[in-house]
Amino acid sequence: MPASYAYLGPEGTFTEVALRTLPEAATRELIPYVSVQSALDAVRAGEAEAAFVPIENSVEGGITTTLDELVAGAPLMIYREVLLSITFALLVRPGTAVSDIKTVSAHPAAQPQVRNWLKNNLPDAHWESAASNADAARLVQEGQYDAAFAGEFAAARYGLVALETGIHDAENAQTRFVLVGRPARPAAPTGADKTSVVLWQRDDHPGGLRDLLGEFATRGINLMLLQSRPTGAGIGNYCFCIDAEGHISDRRVAEALMGLKRICLQVRFLGSYPRADLKPSEVDAPRLGTSDEEFVSAADWVARCQDGRF
């Protein structure tokens, strides 16, 4: 396997900035790809050791392009996550004034994060989506668009200037990025972990989603992301992308996954990995009856009952 990481490019994306916060990135060749799909396909094809892509932002939730790529195709697994605070700059060619801006571009996930600013400051500008914010900057450099919403750090890379900086509609906006590789044994639990899965129901019935969520709730497992995505099999057919607290080696998480495997048409395990927002010392103690020790004690009690030793 080549010692390289693919990432959503081109150079100068928020994805690249987030990737470079990982210590191991310093020992890998970092290769930009034109889309999330092409970066993940590079991993599937064995062209890259892992891919680093955005998966969620605090304004709009899950990034559907990434979720859909993880739902479909050959299985992949999440190994790490990074949180990055996001603010945008309005990048233009030198000499461009606000009154000159008729078209603006950025990645589709950026639009909800600057919508109000755009309405208040450039109400007549036409929005054009780009493969990434840095790609929007490149297109501005080439003269295809007048301005791009991107990181201020991208200006020098593309010969642009920042007409405005610190642009955001929501304070403390963050984007979550994940390092994705081919399936392997998950890293050992840290005590502050997250487990990601995709669930497909066997059939559509009243209380179906409640049944799925009940496997987590009865074991005291908190959910951090729940997003439905169409399966492509017709209107009303959805799968569910879920992030849950805990590690697959935790008894309560393992039992929840076993319960889901029994009742679901399909379960895709996307990995157990360290949380970026917490340290082990900051994790609340498991709810009463959901610690590993209590699961082991209960299983031992059942075994003794079966042996007539109760």
Side-chain angles (χ1 to χ4, degrees):
M1 180 69 66
S4 62
Y5 284 170
Y7 70 93
L8 176 62
E11 294 178 356
T13 56
F14 287 110
T15 306
E16 182 188 8
V17 171
L19 172 57
R20 291 186 182 278
T21 68
L22 293 178
E24 60 266 37
T27 64
R28 305 296 196 277
E29 180 185 7
L30 307 184
I31 304 175
Y33 281 76
V34 297
S35 66
V36 168
Q37 180 181 15
S38 60
L40 295 178
D41 282 346
V43 178
R44 291 184 171 113
E47 298 169 3
E49 178 184 353
F52 193 77
V53 293
I55 196 170
E56 180 185 4
N57 71 64
S58 59
V59 176
E60 285 287 286
I63 295 175
T64 56
T65 301
T66 302
L67 292 175
D68 290 347
E69 284 300 317
L70 293 176
V71 165
L76 294 171
M77 218 169 89
I78 299 171
Y79 289 92
R80 296 283 297 278
E81 68 173 12
V82 171
L83 295 178
L84 185 70
S85 295
I86 302 291
T87 61
F88 295 90
L90 186 68
L91 304 186
V92 300
R93 293 182 296 278
T96 302
V98 172
S99 58
D100 299 325
I101 299 174
K102 308 302 180 187
T103 55
V104 297
S105 183
H107 187 276
Q111 188 175 24
Q113 302 181 63
V114 299
R115 184 184 293 125
N116 291 331
W117 189 96
L118 192 60
K119 180 180 67 175
N120 294 331
N121 295 273
L122 294 170
D124 298 322
H126 180 69
W127 177 277
E128 295 284 355
S129 293
S132 69
N133 300 314
D135 194 51
R138 179 185 63 81
L139 295 172
V140 170
Q141 179 190 44
E142 294 177 357
Q144 294 193 41
Y145 304 123
D146 298 323
F149 288 105
E152 186 177 0
F153 47 80
R157 172 66 180 80
Y158 293 100
L160 305 177
V161 295
L163 204 57
E164 298 281 349
T165 59
I167 299 172
H168 54 78
D169 286 352
E171 293 287 343
N172 303 315
Q174 290 184 310
T175 295
R176 181 166 70 101
F177 301 85
V178 288
L179 184 69
V180 180
R182 291 202 275 190
R185 180 183 294 274
T190 66
D193 301 291
K194 179 184 294 184
T195 293
S196 298
V197 293
V198 185
L199 310 176
W200 285 261
Q201 293 178 283
R202 290 188 183 277
D203 56 69
D204 186 19
H205 62 274
L209 180 57
R210 181 201 62 190
D211 295 342
L212 303 184
L213 300 183
E215 296 293 336
F216 296 102
T218 58
R219 295 171 177 85
I221 300 171
N222 189 41
L223 300 188
M224 307 174 71
L225 173 73
L226 170 61
Q227 184 152 341
S228 61
R229 296 301 303 148
T231 64
I235 296 294
N237 287 277
Y238 292 88
C239 60
F240 299 95
C241 302
I242 291 176
D243 288 347
E245 289 182 343
H247 193 280
I248 192 171
S249 65
D250 298 338
R251 290 291 291 266
R252 66 183 186 278
V253 176
E255 289 205 7
L257 296 182
M258 286 189 285
L260 291 165
K261 183 63 177 175
R262 291 196 305 270
I263 65 175
C264 288
L265 176 66
Q266 182 182 350
V267 177
R268 174 168 284 197
F269 175 65
L270 294 180
S272 290
Y273 48 94
R275 289 177 58 174
D277 59 334
L278 286 180
K279 299 176 181 177
S281 60
E282 299 170 329
V283 177
D284 293 334
R287 290 177 55 193
L288 181 64
T290 66
S291 69
D292 274 13
E293 292 77 10
E294 287 163 317
F295 272 100
V296 170
S297 177
D300 180 65
W301 176 80
V302 170
R304 286 187 284 110
C305 289
Q306 291 170 334
D307 289 343
R309 296 184 289 111
F310 56 93

